[in-house]
Amino acid sequence: MLDKFKQRSHRLEYIDTGNYTAAEYEDCISELQFVNRWMGDAHSLKATLLREVESQSLASFSILDIGAGSGELLRVAATWARQTNRHLSAVGLELNESMAESIVEQSEQFDEISSVRGDALRLPFADAEFEYVMCSLFTHHLLDEEVVEVLREMSRVARRRIFVIDLHRHPVAYFLYTTLGKIVLHSRLVRHDGALSILRGFKSEELLELAQRANLRDIRVERHFPYRLVLSATARATVQLPDAEVRSSRAA
């Protein structure tokens, strides 16, 4: 059984193949927001990118979120910025037109959030256009070669750092999801794709290697509870800094 965790799976998820109805997709998005809220993505964002903003004492900052989904993490960032009296300009990028529209629709209380339809492999932005560029639960949908290209593009359009939040491919995470998920999850897409997403996820050393292939610098991979990895790196790779570092964060 443990053999399936040695290497990333490249089986396509239903969400990637289009094997779902419009109603299933709506249910999927709603349930994914619930799962992500409880599985640590907002915490990982606050413990990495937003902590970086705080440590730099930035009064204003900009974020590009690639594959932003409904824009939930941008709303987390916008709420935090308001609570800490900072000005945020946030853009969510989605290839799917309806999802790009959904970001704006669900963020109607946040004028600082906008959306753009575009391809992560060819970002429609100028060099160094944003302070920070991030993505969450996006790179596991890609082949390794595509991940490298996305990292290069993220670094190109960022001025400070990039942050990639994704799944830690771990047997315990898979076991918990496939057992408890049967009890609390109702969406066919979430139950099937969530388990497969873990198998398509990463080990720390794999993310480090991909970042090094993208010629990034000051690379860090932090482990966050429960079963999240956060890769960060200096933008544009213009300064020679320590190559790689793996950190662990067990804070809930």
Side-chain angles (χ1 to χ4, degrees), residues 56-246:
Q56 297 297 315
S57 300
L58 299 180
S60 63
F61 63 104
S62 57
I63 297 176
L64 169 65
D65 185 1
I66 296 172
S70 68
E72 183 172 4
L73 288 187
L74 291 180
R75 291 189 289 276
V76 170
T79 300
W80 178 85
R82 291 181 178 184
Q83 292 171 343
T84 58
N85 296 314
R86 289 177 167 87
H87 178 266
L88 169 65
S89 175
V91 177
L93 180 132
E94 268 290 341
L95 184 62
N96 183 288
E97 183 175 2
S98 63
M99 286 306 299
E101 293 173 352
S102 177
I103 293 171
V104 175
E105 291 170 358
Q106 296 195 41
S107 305
E108 59 182 359
Q109 297 180 3
F110 298 92
D111 292 338
E112 58 268 58
I113 296 176
S114 60
S115 70
V116 171
R117 184 184 180 191
D119 186 348
L121 295 171
R122 293 176 294 278
L123 292 174
F125 303 106
D127 293 357
E129 189 164 338
F130 300 89
E131 257 89 31
Y132 299 101
V133 180
M134 62 166 286
C135 63
S136 178
L137 303 185
F138 173 70
T139 49
H140 72 264
H141 291 282
L142 307 176
L143 299 175
D144 287 354
E145 294 76 11
E146 295 171 321
V147 175
V148 171
E149 289 302 314
V150 166
L151 292 177
R152 287 173 178 159
E153 278 290 274
M154 292 176 70
S155 181
R156 178 182 66 80
V157 303
R159 281 197 293 273
R160 294 179 179 270
R161 289 189 73 80
I162 68 170
F163 291 86
V164 175
I165 303 170
D166 219 317
L167 298 168
H168 185 189
R169 193 176 73 250
H170 194 286
V172 175
Y174 184 83
F175 174 77
L176 290 175
Y177 194 94
T178 54
T179 54
L180 296 179
K182 292 180 179 179
I183 300 174
V184 300
L185 300 175
H186 305 288
S187 166
R188 176 182 71 102
L189 285 179
V190 176
R191 290 173 65 171
H192 173 272
D193 283 6
L196 183 52
S197 287
I198 294 172
L199 297 180
R200 291 176 61 98
F202 301 91
K203 300 289 184 69
S204 297
E205 59 271 19
E206 294 168 346
L207 277 180
L208 283 174
E209 180 185 3
L210 293 172
Q212 289 166 344
R213 285 170 55 184
N215 296 319
L216 303 184
R217 291 291 184 270
D218 188 24
I219 306 164
R220 305 172 192 171
V221 176
E222 302 178 0
R223 302 184 185 96
H224 286 264
F225 178 85
Y227 303 107
R228 290 292 189 268
L229 297 177
V230 181
L231 163 72
S232 68
T234 300
R236 299 172 63 84
T238 56
V239 181
Q240 182 66 42
L241 293 168
D243 279 340
E245 181 177 357
V246 178

